[in-house]
Amino acid sequence: MRTPIIAGNWKMNKTAAQAVDLVAEMRSDLEAAEGVECVVCPPYLAVPDVARLLVDSTVAVGCQDVYWKESGAFTGEVAAVMAAEFCQYAIIGHSERREYFGETDQSVNSKIKGALAAGLVPIVCVGESLELRQAEKTESWIIGQLHGAFEGISVEQAIGIVIAYEPIWAIGTGLAATAEEAERVCGQVVRATLTELYGSGVAEQIRVQYGGSVNAGNAAELLAKPNIDGALVGGASLKAADFVTIVRAAQAQSRAR
Ligand code: 13P
């Protein structure tokens, strides 16, 4: 039984003060959702204040990126060990970082290793562009991303990693993948690749989220699918009522299983 995990990726939204207000607004509802892991991932400058607010809470805090070196002359970067003072999770390899900030499968792999060494749970993002999808290269692309991400990662480490399947064409577009399509990739591509890499016993324990225009209206249908273990939510995680609705959909699903 995999515990569903709903994470809010706030991207570059909310000042520290606004972040605290948003968390305060939804905190008790998120805490009431038993059987679901809830994670909020504010921008870095808001992380310490949000973490202090959630210090005794079941709601976890994540960051949106980390650097793998522990310290040194890396202007502008935040080391995984620094993030780990405040966070339990780290989003790694988001498509926006790959597209705008030059992230590669190699840097993603190094960041995963840095996060694990610091005791953070990596939420590793994979997903295909519209062009790749139209060229029917979704499967080979994601297999390649997963092979790159998991290079040199042990079985014990792999079990603790969360994968987020986020088709780029579905991010911020309002056009989520259909539940069938998301289930197909999460199961027949992502979990199948994890099975090939680590065996089915391990692959069955690794959680696979779907992300890309998840909202209060479509979450229940997506989360009902057997290979979708949660959601990585962008825009809808910035609205307390919507994020709470998505978390409740996950709770209903975990009760039903
Ligand atoms: P949206 O939910 O806004 O489409 O963003 C998804 C995403 O990129 C989460 O990481």
Side-chain angles (χ1 to χ4, degrees), residues 122-133:
I123 298 176
V124 180
C125 304
V126 297
E128 82 286 3
S129 64
L130 185 60
E131 293 71 34
L132 287 163
R133 181 186 188 226

Side-chain angles (χ1 to χ4, degrees), residues 9 11 94 166 170-172 212-213 232-235:
N9 175 9
K11 309 194 179 184
H94 191 280
E166 297 206 310
I171 295 176
S213 296
L232 184 54
V233 186

Side-chain angles (χ1 to χ4, degrees), residues 33-53:
E34 279 172 30
V36 181
E37 249 170 81
C38 298
V39 188
V40 291
C41 305
Y44 258 121
L45 283 176
V47 161
D49 285 352
V50 167
R52 275 189 279 275
L53 193 64

Side-chain angles (χ1 to χ4, degrees), residues 7-11 91 94-96 125 164 166-167 170-175 210-215 231-237:
N9 175 9
W10 295 8
K11 309 194 179 184
I91 297 171
H94 191 280
S95 60
E96 288 149 17
C125 304
E166 297 206 310
I171 295 176
T173 58
L175 297 168
Y210 167 77
S213 296
V214 175
N215 59 42
L232 184 54
V233 186
S237 71

